[in-house]
Amino acid sequence: MVSAKREMAVYCFDTLLAHYDNTNQLPPPDFEDGQHPLFVTWKKVVNGGEPRLRGCIGTLEARALISGFRDYALTSALRDRRFSPIQAKELPQLQCTVSILTDYETATDYLDWEVGKHGIIIEFIDPDNNTRRNATYLPEVAEHEGWTQLVAIDSLMRKSGYNGAITESLRKSIQLTRYQSSAITMHYGEYVAYVKNTRGTVPTIIGVKLTI
């Protein structure tokens, strides 16, 4: 089974810095390519507090890891509609989590999954307009929020864009796919240390002062 590696998070930071420095030159990725579903999550840590989400976007379909991490590092940082784009000055406060999704399984019902172990994908028909809705939470979300399965399901239905009444019959109509993931998180300070140790340089952006 493929595992997330710190070099993947390094590549995401490299990609974001290259964007801010307006260069297309990226250090070569130090991990093997392959075809897997993946996500990139950015969080911001302020004054040692709880990390706050700043962007999370990925794909549930298999995608080449190198191009996938390059694309979603930028998409999640700059084009997550829930948040303003991450600015270069925020870099020292950022942490990056890369997730590779594995072990997709069709659940028997909307409660056939475990908090802390499974990510979930739900699909259902909106009874108000007969449109198909879907959404996903990565495995760590429900556990981090302290949610029960039921609370997570209802929250995910809202995330899908459904604003109507949530009934038990509607929950029972959900088609749920569960999955697991391999994930690794790296803070900007760890990224700087990695670059110093492996490349003998310090990350910089022209015109931006970066202090950890």
Side-chain angles (χ1 to χ4, degrees):
M1 186 180 81
V2 66
S3 297
K5 303 180 183 300
R6 63 175 182 166
E7 287 79 10
M8 297 171 180
V10 167
Y11 191 60
C12 290
F13 271 114
D14 283 342
T15 300
L16 194 54
L17 264 75
H19 166 77
Y20 292 130
D21 216 21
N22 198 28
T23 176
N24 292 322
Q25 295 182 344
L26 275 174
D30 192 17
F31 57 89
E32 292 185 6
D33 207 354
Q35 296 281 332
H36 299 280
L38 60 94
F39 271 74
V40 178
T41 303
W42 297 101
K43 291 186 177 181
K44 184 176 179 179
V45 182
V46 180
N47 297 325
E50 185 75 12
R52 300 201 306 263
L53 185 63
R54 286 292 281 115
C56 179
I57 295 180
T59 174
L60 298 171
E61 304 293 333
R63 173 77 190 271
L65 292 178
I66 292 175
S67 63
F69 283 128
R70 183 175 63 243
D71 291 347
Y72 287 110
L74 294 180
T75 303
S76 59
L78 306 174
R79 292 185 286 278
D80 188 326
R81 296 179 181 179
R82 297 171 294 176
F83 308 98
S84 60
I86 294 174
Q87 300 181 45
K89 65 182 181 182
E90 297 179 77
L91 272 166
Q93 298 168 304
L94 291 183
Q95 67 179 34
C96 177
T97 299
V98 296
S99 302
I100 299 175
L101 311 188
T102 63
D103 300 304
Y104 281 57
E105 299 174 303
T106 300
T108 57
D109 57 56
Y110 75 91
L111 294 177
D112 184 24
W113 60 283
E114 295 180 34
V115 173
K117 178 180 180 179
H118 295 116
I120 52 175
I121 305 166
I122 64 167
E123 294 186 37
F124 64 99
I125 300 298
D126 187 328
D128 296 333
N129 53 30
N130 205 39
T131 59
R132 179 169 292 275
R133 296 193 178 276
N134 61 77
T136 187
Y137 278 143
L138 295 174
E140 61 269 21
V141 173
E143 183 177 40
H144 178 268
E145 296 295 336
W147 289 340
T148 63
Q149 289 175 296
L150 188 62
V151 171
I153 290 294
D154 288 359
S155 174
L156 197 50
M157 293 177 77
R158 295 304 187 202
K159 182 183 178 183
S160 76
Y162 176 65
N163 295 316
I166 297 177
T167 63
E168 182 62 13
S169 61
L170 184 57
R171 294 189 190 103
K172 288 182 177 179
S173 74
I174 288 173
Q175 295 177 312
L176 188 142
T177 301
R178 65 190 189 190
Y179 59 87
Q180 298 180 52
S181 74
S182 173
I184 191 167
T185 298
M186 173 177 279
H187 189 273
Y188 180 76
E190 297 172 305
Y191 164 71
V192 171
Y194 179 94
V195 172
K196 285 182 179 178
N197 292 334
T198 60
R199 304 173 192 167
T201 60
V202 177
T204 58
I205 299 175
I206 296 174
V208 180
K209 183 179 180 180
L210 298 175
T211 58
I212 301 174

